Amino acid sequence: MSSDSGLEDTVKKTVSENPVVVYSKTWCSYSSEVKYLFKSLGVEPRVIELDELGSEGPQLQKKLEKLTGQHTVPNVFIGGRHIGGCTDTVKLHQEGELEALLSEAGAKKIGS
């Protein structure tokens, strides 16, 4: 069983090593919407399905809430920065800011 600080290290390592990270649940429609949005933009996020992690899932979700102040999924990180959930991500996309964040993070290849 991971220690509390071990989980925090895991989260920090995951978000620093991947341009886009989505903490998700397989049955969550908001998570599906965000994953579909990234896919439509040609971006493959690192997806962590909390409901497939057994007992570590709820612990990880609690740790994410402590780190981000957000207790819901999807919990989206771009370029190591917490973006928010589905509404926040879609809003960034609608405002034309999401693609810039993605390319800054090295997640999207321009022209591909």
Side-chain angles (χ1 to χ4, degrees), residues 2-15 23 60 63-64 66-67:
S2 305
S3 71
D4 199 46
S5 63
L7 278 179
E8 187 169 331
D9 293 343
T10 301
V11 169
K12 288 179 175 170
K13 188 174 193 302
T14 302
V15 299
Y23 287 91
L60 198 49
K63 179 52 67 184
L64 284 164
K66 272 191 189 144
L67 292 170

Side-chain angles (χ1 to χ4, degrees), residues 12-51:
K12 288 179 175 170
K13 188 174 193 302
T14 302
V15 299
S16 69
E17 290 178 354
N18 298 278
V20 183
V21 179
V22 179
Y23 287 91
S24 166
K25 290 187 178 171
T26 54
W27 48 263
C28 173
S29 61
Y30 295 110
S31 295
S32 299
E33 189 178 334
V34 161
K35 289 182 280 190
Y36 179 79
L37 173 61
F38 284 129
K39 192 172 189 157
S40 73
L41 294 172
V43 171
E44 279 293 326
R46 170 82 169 91
V47 177
I48 291 115
E49 301 290 5
L50 295 173
D51 57 328

Side-chain angles (χ1 to χ4, degrees), residues 20 34 37-38 40-41 43 76 78 83 88-105 107-108:
V20 183
V34 161
L37 173 61
F38 284 129
S40 73
L41 294 172
V43 171
V76 180
I78 299 175
I83 298 303
D88 307 297
T89 307
V90 169
K91 188 171 178 238
L92 282 171
H93 180 56
Q94 288 167 343
E95 292 171 351
E97 293 173 30
L98 185 60
E99 299 224 22
L101 281 174
L102 291 169
S103 75
E104 239 175 71
K108 187 167 173 28

